[in-house]
Amino acid sequence: MKQLRPGVLAGIFAVAGVLSWAGARLWNAYGSLPGVPLAAPVVLAVIAVVLLATALSLRARLRAQRERRPGAKGVEPLMAARAVVFGQASALVAALVAGAYGGVGVFLLTDALDIPARRDQAWYAGFSVLAGAAVIAAALFLEHVLKLPEDDDDSPPSPARA
């Protein structure tokens, strides 16, 4: 499984931000721009907390397993793989969602701060971007916790493997 690259996530964030900013400008020119829901940053924050709790739990279990503590509960490989996939999927979606809300937030900051309802929407969009960054950080931490150690085998490859 390939590791997530922060550059890819930043690219997704940037592209989504530019497209949503342009879409918000266009939508506002033709009618009323839909609002940023209050639930957006809340849901992203809950996902970040779940990812962080999973990472901390698995890190403690792996440490106990490495130290061979009596009664240590190991980590099943399938569970670890599912956790990594959950983290990667969450990070990709969070980059997309945070970019979209970031673009709308930039539009609201540059165009419509004089309207109190739009000002509140700009705050919600900003909190959504921060919560999306928290999801990405927690997912990268989870991936770091579950990364397999490098193979330190310095022997030359056997002819069967070459």
Side-chain angles (χ1 to χ4, degrees):
M1 184 176 297
K2 291 185 180 180
Q3 240 183 325
L4 278 178
R5 296 187 179 193
V8 171
L9 296 172
I12 291 170
F13 175 83
V15 168
V18 169
L19 290 176
S20 72
W21 172 78
R25 285 187 56 155
L26 182 65
W27 197 318
N28 194 52
Y30 286 111
S32 175
L33 180 69
V36 178
L38 177 60
V42 173
V43 170
L44 288 170
V46 167
I47 293 170
V49 167
V50 168
L51 284 170
L52 184 61
T54 302
L56 293 174
S57 172
L58 290 174
R59 183 176 71 167
R61 288 172 65 180
L62 288 170
R63 182 177 294 148
Q65 188 177 6
R66 267 193 309 270
E67 294 172 357
R68 300 189 190 275
R69 292 184 193 156
K73 188 174 180 184
V75 177
E76 295 180 24
L78 187 58
M79 185 180 75
R82 286 178 180 161
V84 170
V85 168
F86 171 60
Q88 286 183 348
S90 298
L92 291 168
V93 170
L96 183 67
V97 169
Y101 285 131
V104 170
V106 167
F107 169 75
L108 291 171
L109 286 174
T110 58
D111 189 57
L113 274 184
D114 53 339
I115 303 169
R118 292 274 177 109
R119 194 175 319 120
D120 291 342
Q121 296 299 306
W123 278 106
Y124 298 158
F127 289 139
S128 296
V129 171
L130 290 176
V135 169
I136 292 169
L140 291 174
F141 178 63
L142 175 64
E143 190 175 55
H144 172 74
V145 165
L146 294 175
K147 183 178 178 187
L148 293 174
E150 295 293 324
D151 189 16
D152 293 333
D153 187 18
D154 293 332
S155 64
S158 67
R161 293 168 67 192

